[in-house]
Amino acid sequence: MRSIRQKWLHLCTLGLFGLLALGVQTSVMAQAYPNKPIKMIVPFPAGGTTDIVARIVAQRMSESMGQPVTIDNRGGAGGAIGADLMAKAAPDGYTIMMHNLSFPLASVAQTLANRSPFNVDTDFAGVSIAVYVPFVWTSSPSVPAKDLRELAALLRANPALQYNYGSTGPGSTMHVLGEAFKKEGRVNITHIPFKGAAPLKQELLAGRLQVGGDQLSSSLAEIKAGTLKALATTASKRIPGLPDIPTVRELGFPNLELEGWNGVFAPAKTPKDIIERLNKEVIAAVRHPDVVKRLNDLGAEGVGSTPAEQDAMLRRQMDQFRAIIREMRLE
């Protein structure tokens, strides 16, 4: 009996030392972090708003963390390809992701279609909302409508018009909003998916695509130059830098209202100390005076939130559009 008790105590002691050693190891890893380059996945091609914001934030983080933060563009499937790579990355803080408001919408669409390669509820850890960037509907200047309400009237009056709208992929923000617009506006317009906002914009500029949309930063210069037309913003209020652009609510489409954002995520199970360090660095980056000016010039507003605030926003937008996406049966 005594021998059994001694063995049990010996095993308990070994287990305790093992846990203490693991705790010390985790603490040492966190204190040493980062000791090599960090990769920031952008699940869209270069040139779009998410890529632009990511490069600004990554540059500042590189300077403050003493290690390069490099951008890895992995476009396709409405951001799902890049998000899947991030979800499967080692949870050590050396692979993070900058995503946008397409993340909750595409995740819902892919889950309802039984083709999501990841679980948005369990595979990701929020780090911080980096910036708010309004989402803007745009069109080629050749479209004879000054706003979204006029576009709906034009399409209803001319059902033979072969108009197309572009998005960054199935289930992306513009895809969901485009299908909602078709229903609410009682119009016919065909969806054309692209791998990212940059190639979508090029088709709009070339006049081969009639309607599109993205966060403001990727199209602000063209809107101001008149090579792209802004039809509406999905924000809850008008954009200070473009006060003549009406909101979707003003134009009679309140269900299309959606705040735009870009945020940083890490793989689930990333140690809390590392999440806290990344959160601190993102907040410091977007609130740095030089970065604030650069973001303002792009029509973006630096935020810097807690991980909990970011997670809550993600789930709020998923809940907002889940019923609409289910009804649309997006494939």
Side-chain angles (χ1 to χ4, degrees):
M1 185 73 176
R2 185 176 181 181
S3 176
I4 294 174
R5 185 181 297 127
Q6 287 175 332
K7 288 181 178 179
W8 173 250
L9 289 172
H10 180 65
L11 289 172
C12 289
T13 301
L14 288 175
L16 178 60
F17 277 121
L19 289 172
L20 288 172
L22 180 60
V24 170
Q25 182 182 16
T26 301
S27 178
V28 169
M29 286 175 61
Q31 290 173 9
Y33 175 83
N35 56 26
K36 63 180 181 179
I38 298 168
K39 178 171 66 177
M40 181 183 288
I41 293 175
V42 174
F44 304 101
T49 293
T50 305
D51 177 70
I52 294 169
V53 171
R55 290 178 188 277
I56 292 173
V57 173
Q59 179 182 353
R60 184 61 202 167
M61 289 176 67
S62 297
E63 294 170 2
S64 65
M65 298 181 81
Q67 290 290 343
V69 180
T70 61
I71 301 299
D72 184 7
N73 295 97
R74 297 296 186 102
I81 292 175
D84 185 43
L85 286 172
M86 216 281 301
K88 293 177 172 57
D92 55 10
Y94 291 100
T95 302
I96 57 179
M97 174 178 70
M98 176 77 78
H99 215 313
N100 64 23
L101 68 166
S102 278
F103 194 26
L105 307 188
S107 297
V108 169
Q110 290 154 2
T111 298
L112 291 175
N114 293 316
R115 59 177 177 79
S116 179
F118 51 77
N119 186 327
V120 72
D121 293 313
T122 60
D123 291 344
F124 305 93
V127 173
S128 180
I129 303 170
V131 300
Y132 285 138
V133 191
F135 188 93
V136 178
W137 284 70
T138 54
S139 75
S140 165
S142 63
V143 173
K146 75 173 187 294
D147 58 38
L148 203 60
R149 181 164 51 201
E150 286 195 3
L151 176 64
L154 174 70
L155 293 173
R156 284 196 301 269
N158 302 275
L161 280 177
Q162 300 295 313
Y163 271 22
N164 300 318
Y165 78 89
S167 83
T168 54
S172 65
T173 303
M174 189 60 206
H175 188 195
V176 173
L177 294 178
E179 294 304 299
F181 171 65
K182 285 170 64 173
K183 179 182 178 183
E184 294 207 1
R186 306 184 308 281
V187 299
N188 182 35
I189 185 169
T190 303
H191 174 230
I192 305 294
F194 293 85
K195 287 187 176 181
L200 187 161
K201 183 175 71 174
Q202 290 306 312
E203 291 300 293
L204 283 172
L205 291 171
R208 292 186 291 267
L209 182 69
Q210 289 75 42
V211 181
D214 187 34
Q215 289 175 279
L216 179 61
S217 298
S218 63
S219 56
L220 179 60
E222 289 79 10
I223 291 171
K224 287 187 172 182
T227 53
L228 280 183
K229 187 187 300 182
L231 301 177
T233 173
T234 68
S236 58
K237 57 185 178 181
R238 292 199 179 199
I239 303 167
L242 295 170
D244 294 333
I245 302 177
T247 67
V248 287
R249 182 174 292 275
E250 289 179 83
L251 296 172
F253 301 99
N255 290 332
L256 303 187
E257 190 172 281
L258 179 66
E259 297 294 346
W261 57 271
N262 289 90
V264 177
F265 296 83
K269 300 182 181 179
T270 299
K272 182 180 178 181
D273 288 350
I274 291 179
I275 292 290
E276 289 175 350
R277 174 69 189 278
L278 287 167
N279 174 262
K280 177 183 175 182
E281 294 291 343
V282 172
I283 291 174
V286 300
R287 296 182 183 177
H288 188 277
D290 293 342
V291 173
V292 169
K293 184 181 183 307
R294 292 178 68 186
L295 292 174
N296 288 343
D297 290 343
L298 293 167
E301 175 191 357
V303 182
S305 74
T306 66
E309 288 169 336
Q310 185 183 32
D311 290 339
M313 182 203 59
L314 190 72
R315 276 145 187 78
R316 184 170 62 250
Q317 291 189 336
M318 290 172 70
D319 292 341
Q320 177 185 352
F321 283 94
R322 183 173 281 107
I324 296 173
I325 294 170
R326 181 182 290 112
E327 184 179 342
M328 291 175 184
R329 300 181 183 275
L330 299 179
E331 297 297 334

